[in-house]
């Protein structure tokens, strides 16, 4: 599942994208559309994505959080609220 994307434009006007996806266990996978980089990141995937964009001379990057991650957070919040309300009503 794609978690987030970092995009930016280099001085020549080309757009570069680095996607962060879920990997195995606690790892994240960084995939660069521009150069084909594919690497694992156990810690600080965000920092590694921004650093990789700097190798393409991108100074300011923009983060896009994908809807699947937001939807998952909403579902978890609804389930927790339901659980708390059910526990409170049983007392």
């Amino acid at each position: 599942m794609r978690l987030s994307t970092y995009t930016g434009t280099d001085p020549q006007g080309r757009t570069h994208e680095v996607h962060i996806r879920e990997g195995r266990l606690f790892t994240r996978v960084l995939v660069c559309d521009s150069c084909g980089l594919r690497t694992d990141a156990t810690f600080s995937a965000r920092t590694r994505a921004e650093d990789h964009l700097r190798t393409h001379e991108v100074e300011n990057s923009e983060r896009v959080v994908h809807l699947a991650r937001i939807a998952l957070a909403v579902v978890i919040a609804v389930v927790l609220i339901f659980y708390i309300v059910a526990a409170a009503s049983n007392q």
Side-chain angles (χ1 to χ4, degrees):
M1 175 176 18
R2 189 179 292 174
L3 301 175
S4 58
T5 301
Y6 290 85
T7 61
T9 305
D10 65 12
Q12 290 79 26
R14 294 183 300 241
T15 301
H16 298 276
E17 291 186 341
V18 177
H19 304 285
I20 299 177
R21 299 181 176 164
E22 282 190 32
R24 294 183 181 184
L25 297 175
F26 298 106
T27 62
R28 300 288 185 246
V29 177
L30 276 66
V31 179
C32 179
D33 289 345
S34 306
C35 67
L37 171 84
R38 183 177 176 89
T39 185
D40 292 336
T42 306
F43 298 103
S44 65
R46 176 182 182 175
T47 304
R48 289 188 65 184
E50 290 172 344
D51 287 345
H52 182 71
L53 283 176
R54 283 191 208 100
T55 65
H56 291 293
E57 298 178 0
V58 173
E59 292 299 322
N60 298 321
S61 61
E62 179 179 305
R63 181 181 186 201
V64 177
V65 177
H66 294 278
L67 293 177
R69 188 171 187 181
I70 295 170
L72 180 63
V74 169
V75 168
I76 290 171
V78 168
V79 169
L80 286 175
I81 291 171
F82 179 76
Y83 178 75
I84 291 169
V85 168
S89 66
N90 285 340
Q91 291 182 354

